[in-house]
């Protein structure tokens, strides 16, 4: 299972990187979403999978799944959501101002000339 | 302790602070008069040290600066330091006096001028009177800086700025090399104090860092003293006002390198390389400077190259003087004579070159030009200036009865004697020294004659600019007359310097030759008898006169050296090339495309991680403790891959958003399977909101395939992203395969209920055990919300992009 999940995480990173490397702003933002999914799964995988009950003490289980990575991922999800939302509006605004969603069209003035 | 000596060294700096106030307050009095007090007082103060050093004593006073780093301002007065201090303050006084008449108080920014000049004077005193190498370096750089400021005094002129930049670049590069050399010396000896280093000189001779330190320090000395091929800044520094040229670029700053060589001789001269480098570079500079001086048409240009040449001469004598150390006894040691000659000529050069520069300044001031092609016939109009020029030039050419003759004779003596020295292949190459020295002296004679006769003899050039040319005001003439009197006095009575100044200075340069209470005995004689040197001088005069008469016939040889091969051209080319290459280099990789930079980052990240992973043998696969794969996970994994691929190749934005949403929901299902209920909840909610946001935004954004262009598969991007994915997978596998120690989670399961009073461990961690994370995560969300609000409300109006 861990190996499968490692491959899945790597796959999500691959898709994310491929999208981020494109020139279209929408695809770049979507790519960041894939990369954050990949890293969340990675965090979970590296702590070990299915080692016990859900981390709720009321279940009276003998072993529980590690709660720490879950807390970390929860924080990460919220932060990546905030960043994605900001990023989206930024892309929207950039499109409104510059009239393009191609990153090559978003160059500033050439300072060398 | 801060002594009077320290105060004397920094007194010019203190005076420099006061100058602008005096300039504003007493606008009717030339600021130079106030400034003049400083060098005169200092000169009188330093004269008091003569009896002390003449008896072989030295004065050391320490002022703690940064004692923990061995950086202390150690003022040290010995013969060598005093000689330079007297030159600096003495000629400084004369130059300030001259500048009062040279610079108009109405037209010039005198406050700037005197601040820079005083800064320079203080720095120069600091260089020659510091015993600590780092303090010496500090003052050394202040001389470079103030020289830069003085050269560009008329900053509205292009040439001034060019010359200032050039001199700064060259001297600072040398200064930096010197600093590295000093640090190497510190590494070898553990002290920055020159006297302590000299005391342990024997022990460091065989050290592997000895030679690098020597080369680096010599580089500093050679650049400062305008030695070949670093001499190119000096002629361009002639854009400075003439008092500056007279002071900095003939009498004092350019001798800082010579001071350094002399000061460090006791440390480095025991090695033969020192002799070869110092004497070799000196003699080449001597020749090249005198050879090039003849072709100049600008009087200051001639004097600049002449300075270069004379500095080379002094340096070569110091180098030859190092040979004295290879003989143990002071008796019958012929090579001591070379050091004597170097010091004597150092003084002589300061006197005649200073007066010649002032003479040129007067000519320039009165006629409006310095070009010898337009000058002539000033002999009867400016008789005093003419006298100064004659005495100065004849002394420079080495003619009796002036002091230049004596030092030139001594120079020839040492050059002839070096051929008798039996070391380092001196038998084969050594013969070059007297030959080059003689040829250079011929050229020196020629340009000295040019200075006098092209300027003052013959007829007035009809194109000469001004109508009523007359003798300079008396005030302007005082300084050159004083200097020229010294030329004559030292010529007739050289021994007034011998015991008081030169002997103690020699004791500083060659301390190891003196035992106990011994002292050097210097006696400069006018008449040597019919020796080789005398015939050489006669030859110089005869051949020089013949060549001067026939100057027009052979001047064509200068055209054999094309301008494009000159060192100036090389320097200019070097600057331009450096700039171009760095521009090309930068625009080659800084393309301004985000995609490009991301690629660099990704490639670097992949490379560094895989190399470390496999290089350190960190990759492991451990299949013992794996969780089993059930059918649910297999199906979820397969659908995740499909959803991701759909997004990757989506040609419309809707497909891409749906693909991302599907991926998010599958991830939340994974969270369910992996027993993370809170994560699943959050993921579901957030994914829903995200997709809604995406859709909301996309309503306003254009289609991905705008202009009906298909999203093409990019193999390059794919290879990079594949590498990233594979790297992540490999790292993930080896990370989950190697558990080095147990998790701390047992604490949370034990303490959640008892300490925090909660059963949901994840929530307890978020709000209790690690509540700070949550606090700032809330802050992140808040900032994002405010940012979004601002961005939407913000209207950029009326401001165009630059």
């Amino acid at each position: 299972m861990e190996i499968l999940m490692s491959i899945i995480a790597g796959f999500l990173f691959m898709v994310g990187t491929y999208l981020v490397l494109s020139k279209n702003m929408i695809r770049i933002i979507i790519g960041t979403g894939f990369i954050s999914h990949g890293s969340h799964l990675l965090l979970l995988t590296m702590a070990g999978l299915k080692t016990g009950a859900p981390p709720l003490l009321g279940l009276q289980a003998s072993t529980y799944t590690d709660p720490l990575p879950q807390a970390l991922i929860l924080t990460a999800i919220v932060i990546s959501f905030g960043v994605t939302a900001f990023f989206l509006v930024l892309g929207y605004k950039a499109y409104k101002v510059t009239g393009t969603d191609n990153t090559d069209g978003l160059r500033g003035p050439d300072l060398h000339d | 302790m801060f002594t009077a000596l320290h105060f004397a060294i920094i007194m010019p700096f203190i005076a420099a602070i006061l100058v602008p106030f005096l300039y504003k307050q007493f606008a009717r009095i030339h600021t130079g008069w106030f400034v003049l007090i400083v060098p005169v007082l200092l000169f009188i103060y330093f004269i008091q040290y003569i009896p002390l050093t003449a008896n072989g004593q030295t004065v050391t006073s320490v002022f703690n600066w940064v004692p923990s780093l061995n950086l202390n301002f150690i003022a040290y007065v010995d013969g060598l330091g005093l000689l330079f201090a007297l030159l600096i303050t003495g000629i400084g006084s004369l130059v300030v006096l001259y500048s009062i008449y040279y610079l108009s108080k109405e037209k010039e920014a005198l406050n700037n001028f005197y601040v820079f000049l005083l800064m320079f004077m203080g720095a120069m005193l600091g260089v020659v009177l510091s015993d600590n190498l780092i303090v010496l370096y500090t003052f050394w750089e202040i001389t470079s800086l103030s020289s830069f400021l003085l050269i560009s005094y008329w900053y509205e002129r292009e040439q001034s700025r060019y010359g200032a930049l050039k001199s700064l670049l060259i001297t600072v590069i040398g200064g930096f090399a010197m600093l590295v050399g000093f640090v190497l010396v510190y590494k070898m000896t553990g002290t920055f104090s020159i006297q302590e280093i000299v005391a342990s000189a024997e022990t460091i001779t065989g050290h592997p860092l000895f030679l690098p330190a020597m080369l680096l320090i010599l580089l500093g000395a050679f650049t400062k003293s305008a030695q070949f091929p670093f001499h190119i800044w000096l002629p361009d520094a002639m854009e400075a006002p003439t008092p500056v040229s007279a002071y900095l670029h003939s009498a004092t700053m350019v001798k800082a390198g010579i001071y350094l060589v002399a000061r460090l001789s006791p440390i480095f001269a025991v090695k033969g390389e020192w002799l070869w480098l110092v004497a070799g570079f000196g003699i080449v500079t001597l020749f090249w400077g005198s050879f090039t001086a003849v072709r100049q048409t600008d009087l200051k240009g001639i004097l600049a190259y002449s300075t270069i040449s004379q500095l080379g001469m002094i340096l070569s004598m110091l180098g030859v003087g190092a040979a004295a150390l290879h003989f143990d006894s002071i008796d019958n040691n012929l090579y001591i004579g070379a050091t004597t000659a170097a010091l004597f000529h150092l003084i002589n050069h300061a006197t005649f070159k200073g007066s010649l520069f002032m003479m040129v300044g007067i000519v320039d001031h009165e006629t409006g030009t310095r070009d010898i092609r337009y000058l002539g016939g000033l002999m009867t109009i400016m008789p005093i200036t003419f006298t100064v020029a004659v005495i100065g030039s004849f002394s420079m050419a080495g003619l009796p009865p002036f002091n230049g003759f004596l030092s030139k004779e001594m120079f020839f003596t040492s050059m002839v004697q070096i051929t008798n020295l039996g070391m380092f292949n001196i038998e084969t190459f050594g013969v070059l020294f007297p030959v080059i020295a003689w040829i250079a002296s011929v050229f020196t004679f020629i340009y000295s004659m040019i200075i006098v006769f092209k300027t003052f003899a013959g007829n007035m050039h009809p194109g000469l600019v001004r109508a009523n040319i007359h003798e300079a005001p008396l005030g302007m003439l005082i300084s050159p007359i004083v200097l020229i009197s010294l030329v004559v006095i030292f010529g007739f009575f050289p021994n007034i310097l011998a015991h008081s100044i030169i002997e103690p200075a020699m004791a500083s340069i060659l301390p190891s030759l003196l035992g106990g209470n011994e002292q050097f005995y210097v006696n400069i004689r006018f008449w040597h008898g019919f020796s080789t040197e005398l015939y050489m001088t006669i030859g110089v005069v005869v051949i020089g006169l013949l060549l001067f008469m026939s100057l027009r016939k052979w001047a064509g040889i200068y055209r054999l050296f094309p301008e494009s091969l000159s060192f100036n051209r090389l320097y200019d080319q070097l600057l331009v090339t450096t700039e171009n290459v760095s521009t090309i280099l930068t625009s080659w990789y800084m393309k301004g495309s985000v995609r490009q930079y991301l690629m660099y980052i990704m490639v670097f990240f992949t490379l560094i991680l895989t190399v470390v992973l496999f290089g350190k043998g960190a990759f492991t696969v451990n299949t013992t403790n794996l969780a089993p794969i059930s059918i649910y996970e297999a199906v979820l994994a397969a659908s995740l891959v499909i959803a991701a691929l759909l997004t990757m190749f989506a040609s419309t934005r809707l497909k891409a958003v749906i693909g991302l949403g599907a991926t998010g929901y599958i991830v939340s299902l994974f969270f369910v399977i992996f027993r993370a209920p809170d994560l699943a909840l959050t993921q579901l909610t957030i994914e829903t909101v995200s997709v809604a946001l995406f859709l909301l935004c996309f309503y306003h954004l254009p289609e991905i395939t705008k202009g009906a262009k298909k999203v093409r598969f990019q193999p390059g991007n794919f290879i990079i992203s594949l590498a990233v994915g594979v790297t992540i997978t490999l790292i993930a596998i080896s990370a989950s395969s190697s558990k080095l120690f147990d998790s701390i989670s047992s604490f949370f399961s034990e303490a959640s209920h008892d300490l925090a009073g909660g059963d949901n461990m994840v929530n307890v961690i978020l709000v209790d055990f690690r509540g700070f994370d949550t606090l700032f995560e809330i802050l992140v969300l808040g900032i994002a919300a405010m940012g979004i609000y601002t961005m939407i409300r913000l209207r950029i109006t009326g401001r165009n992009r630059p």
Side-chain angles (χ1 to χ4, degrees):
Chain A
M1 193 68 231
E2 276 87 350
I3 289 176
L4 178 71
M5 287 316 291
S6 302
I7 294 167
I8 291 284
F11 178 77
L12 285 173
F13 264 90
M14 186 200 83
V15 173
T17 311
Y18 181 80
L19 289 170
V20 162
L21 287 179
S22 70
K23 285 177 185 166
N24 186 290
M25 228 150 44
I26 303 166
R27 283 161 68 87
I28 292 175
I29 299 172
I30 290 175
T32 59
F34 275 98
I35 291 180
S36 46
H37 285 321
S39 42
H40 298 157
L41 284 183
L42 199 63
L43 269 171
L44 200 65
T45 309
M46 285 198 288
L49 297 170
K50 296 207 272 191
T51 47
L56 301 168
L57 287 174
L59 295 175
Q60 306 286 344
S62 56
T63 53
Y64 295 101
T65 309
D66 196 340
L68 193 59
Q70 297 192 9
L72 298 182
I73 292 166
L74 202 65
T75 312
I77 287 173
V78 174
I79 289 175
S80 65
F81 167 71
V83 172
T84 309
F86 184 81
F87 206 8
L88 261 174
V89 178
L90 187 67
Y92 162 72
K93 196 75 188 174
Y95 173 68
K96 284 281 155 191
V97 172
T98 63
T100 177
D101 63 340
N102 187 326
T103 51
D104 283 349
L106 290 177
R107 286 163 191 246
D110 205 339
L111 296 174
H112 294 298
D113 301 326
Chain B
M1 233 184 66
F2 196 83
T3 57
L5 187 57
H6 288 109
F7 182 73
I9 294 171
I10 64 159
M11 185 167 136
F13 291 108
I14 299 167
I17 296 171
L18 297 174
V19 163
F21 297 107
L22 295 169
Y23 177 73
K24 290 275 182 225
Q25 281 299 315
F26 304 97
R28 291 171 59 200
I29 308 169
H30 197 288
T31 317
W33 289 112
F34 301 112
V35 176
L36 183 60
I37 303 165
V38 177
V40 171
L41 279 180
L42 287 174
F43 185 69
I44 295 166
Y45 174 76
F46 282 118
I47 278 186
Q48 294 171 346
Y49 281 93
I50 290 181
L52 208 75
T53 55
N55 291 327
Q57 287 169 299
T58 58
V59 181
T60 313
S61 46
V62 182
F63 174 70
N64 283 349
W65 180 27
V66 193
S68 56
L69 294 176
N70 278 336
L71 298 184
N72 295 315
F73 185 6
I74 308 172
Y76 176 77
V77 181
D78 65 346
L80 186 66
L82 188 64
L83 159 64
F84 275 90
L86 288 172
L87 270 183
I88 292 159
T89 50
I91 297 195
S93 315
L94 295 172
V95 162
V96 171
L97 181 65
Y98 177 78
S99 70
I100 292 171
Y101 292 93
Y102 187 84
L103 294 170
S104 141
K105 78 168 181 283
E106 284 84 21
K107 289 178 205 153
E108 306 287 356
L110 291 175
N111 47 348
N112 293 350
F113 182 80
Y114 287 111
V115 168
F116 301 157
L117 196 73
L118 283 170
M119 253 172 79
F120 171 78
M121 194 182 289
M124 200 63 207
L125 278 177
V127 167
V128 299
L129 296 176
S130 294
D131 188 50
N132 189 294
L133 285 176
I134 297 296
V135 176
L136 191 152
Y137 171 74
T138 311
F139 284 120
W140 183 279
E141 290 299 353
I142 301 175
T143 65
S144 294
L145 181 71
S146 49
S147 162
F148 167 79
L149 292 168
L150 283 167
I151 296 169
S152 55
Y153 176 64
W154 288 310
Y155 52 83
E156 66 279 7
R157 296 184 192 170
E158 164 95 48
Q159 277 304 105
S160 296
R161 298 197 301 268
Y162 172 79
L165 184 65
K166 194 177 194 175
S167 78
L168 189 74
L169 277 178
I170 294 177
T171 52
V172 165
I173 287 172
F176 189 66
M178 191 181 84
L179 176 65
V180 178
F182 286 169
V183 172
L184 291 184
V185 169
Y186 180 73
K187 186 127 180 66
M188 286 188 283
T189 58
T191 171
F192 279 124
S193 159
I194 299 174
Q195 293 315 308
E196 288 173 27
I197 295 168
V198 169
S200 60
E202 306 257 312
T203 57
I204 61 168
T205 314
H207 200 282
L209 291 177
F210 184 80
L211 203 61
M214 180 169 111
L215 291 174
L216 287 166
I217 291 174
L218 277 184
L219 185 64
F222 286 174
T223 48
K224 196 77 162 183
S225 282
Q227 295 299 296
F228 187 88
F230 311 112
H231 62 276
I232 49 170
W233 66 266
L234 189 60
D236 282 308
M238 290 302 134
E239 293 299 324
T242 303
V244 173
S245 310
Y247 189 38
L248 276 70
H249 305 125
S250 74
T252 52
M253 185 178 95
V254 287
K255 293 200 169 99
I258 288 180
Y259 167 78
L260 196 72
V261 168
R263 176 56 84 199
L264 301 179
S265 277
I267 305 169
F268 294 109
V270 278
K271 280 275 193 157
E273 286 90 345
W274 178 268
L275 189 157
W276 274 110
L277 281 169
V278 176
F281 271 93
I283 202 99
V284 170
T285 312
L286 165 64
F287 169 72
W288 187 254
S290 62
F291 178 70
T292 318
V294 175
R295 75 184 295 188
Q296 303 300 314
T297 54
D298 177 28
L299 278 174
K300 274 175 102 175
I302 301 178
L303 288 179
Y305 279 103
S306 141
T307 303
I308 292 167
S309 147
Q310 305 274 320
L311 291 171
M313 176 173 158
I314 298 171
L315 210 62
S316 68
M317 287 191 280
L318 276 179
V320 172
L325 291 176
H326 299 277
F327 297 89
D328 287 322
S329 77
I330 189 168
D331 310 314
N332 302 323
N333 195 329
L334 292 167
Y335 303 102
I336 292 175
T339 310
T340 318
L343 290 169
F344 189 49
H345 193 67
L346 184 84
I347 303 166
N348 294 343
H349 176 249
T351 54
F352 67 68
K353 192 53 66 66
S355 63
L356 282 176
F357 266 110
M358 292 173 184
M359 177 278 289
V360 170
I362 292 170
V363 170
D364 188 12
H365 211 262
E366 300 302 323
T367 65
T369 182
R370 299 194 307 252
D371 197 321
I372 52 170
R373 288 169 299 188
Y374 302 114
L375 288 167
L378 296 173
M379 195 190 293
T380 48
I381 304 171
M382 307 169 79
I384 304 174
T385 318
F386 172 64
T387 315
V388 169
V390 168
I391 298 176
S393 301
F394 282 17
S395 176
M396 183 157 72
L399 297 177
F402 307 114
N403 56 6
F405 170 72
L406 300 168
S407 42
K408 177 87 52 159
E409 292 285 282
M410 292 158 77
F411 169 60
F412 282 152
T413 312
S414 52
M415 287 298 142
V416 170
Q417 271 158 3
I418 193 77
T419 52
N420 302 329
L421 186 69
M423 61 185 290
F424 323 120
N425 292 328
I426 208 97
E427 297 89 346
T428 42
F429 296 111
V431 74
L432 283 173
F433 278 91
V435 171
I436 297 175
W438 186 81
I439 297 171
S441 300
V442 173
F443 280 106
T444 307
F445 183 87
I446 297 170
Y447 71 69
S448 302
M449 294 306 117
I450 289 176
I451 291 175
V452 177
F453 292 108
K454 298 268 179 181
T455 315
F456 294 96
N459 298 316
M460 283 265 258
H461 194 280
L464 204 53
V465 203
R466 292 183 197 175
N468 56 336
I469 299 166
H470 52 78
E471 184 60 271
L474 185 65
M476 215 181 215
L477 287 167
I478 296 172
S479 298
I481 288 173
V482 170
L483 284 172
I484 222 68
S485 319
L486 287 176
V487 170
V488 180
I489 293 168
F490 293 157
F492 283 107
F493 311 104
N495 287 325
I496 54 170
L497 289 175
H499 181 63
S500 54
I501 305 276
I502 296 181
E503 284 173 13
M506 286 179 66
S508 318
I509 301 176
L510 303 165
S512 60
L513 290 180
L514 290 176
N517 291 319
E518 279 181 304
Q519 284 200 347
F520 286 104
Y521 178 67
V522 173
N523 187 14
I524 301 164
R525 283 164 300 159
F526 224 104
W527 182 248
H528 292 261
F530 288 99
S531 55
T532 327
E533 301 90 87
L534 187 66
Y535 294 124
M536 281 168 86
T537 305
I538 294 169
V540 166
V541 175
V542 172
I543 305 287
L545 269 179
L546 286 176
L547 284 173
F548 175 64
M549 301 295 186
S550 58
L551 189 59
R552 285 212 186 131
K553 293 192 180 105
W554 58 271
I557 62 155
Y558 285 108
R559 269 175 252 131
L560 293 178
F561 301 97
E563 192 69 25
S564 57
L565 284 180
S566 71
F567 287 100
N568 280 315
R569 193 58 69 89
L570 188 75
Y571 163 84
D572 292 337
Q573 279 298 320
L574 204 68
L575 272 194
V576 171
T577 317
T578 315
E579 223 177 280
N580 286 347
V581 167
S582 62
T583 310
I584 290 169
L585 202 71
T586 310
S587 52
W588 172 69
Y589 73 90
M590 296 291 284
K591 286 201 166 57
S593 145
V594 180
R595 190 175 146 259
Q596 205 89 36
Y597 302 150
L598 278 172
M599 273 160 104
Y600 299 149
I601 295 169
M602 298 296 184
V603 169
F604 178 75
F605 150 86
T606 318
L607 279 180
I608 201 93
L609 283 179
T610 36
V611 165
V612 171
L613 195 66
F614 290 101
K616 297 273 176 192
F619 182 69
T620 49
V621 184
N622 181 5
T623 46
T624 47
N625 272 325
L626 292 184
I629 304 177
S630 67
I631 181 76
Y632 300 115
E633 286 111 39
V635 169
L636 278 181
S639 29
L640 186 93
V641 169
I642 291 166
L645 285 177
L646 179 81
T647 321
M648 196 167 154
F649 298 108
S651 52
T652 65
R653 61 185 180 203
L654 199 63
K655 272 188 208 167
V657 173
I658 290 172
L660 179 66
T663 315
Y665 290 128
I666 295 167
V667 169
S668 76
L669 287 182
F670 267 121
F671 287 151
V672 172
I673 288 180
F674 295 142
R675 315 227 197 320
D678 300 295
L679 286 187
L681 261 172
T682 319
Q683 179 68 36
L684 256 170
T685 328
I686 280 189
E687 201 57 42
T688 313
V689 177
S690 291
V691 169
L693 260 179
F694 267 94
L695 290 175
L696 211 69
C697 269
F698 287 3
Y699 180 73
H700 300 281
L701 285 177
E703 202 40 86
I704 293 175
T705 52
K706 202 166 71 170
K709 236 195 294 172
K710 273 201 77 174
V711 179
R712 265 178 295 146
F713 179 69
Q714 306 267 347
N717 291 358
F718 182 72
I719 289 168
I720 292 174
S721 42
L722 188 68
V724 171
V726 168
T727 312
I728 296 289
T729 307
L730 293 179
I731 291 171
I733 290 174
S734 24
S736 55
S737 300
S738 49
K739 285 267 185 292
L740 297 177
F741 41 79
D742 283 336
S743 163
I744 56 164
S745 300
S746 53
F747 166 77
F748 295 118
S749 52
E750 283 157 20
S752 276
H753 185 81
D754 300 338
L755 291 184
D759 285 346
N760 186 333
M761 281 189 259
V762 175
N763 287 3
V764 167
I765 292 174
L766 282 175
V767 299
D768 194 314
F769 292 124
R770 298 178 59 86
F772 273 119
D773 288 0
T774 315
L775 178 67
F776 291 109
E777 155 197 343
I778 292 166
L779 191 68
V780 166
L781 270 189
I783 290 172
M786 281 196 288
I788 288 166
Y789 179 77
T790 324
M791 256 197 303
I792 288 173
R793 301 289 297 191
L794 184 70
R795 292 276 181 276
I796 303 167
T797 46
R799 197 148 25 111
N800 289 325
R801 288 202 293 164

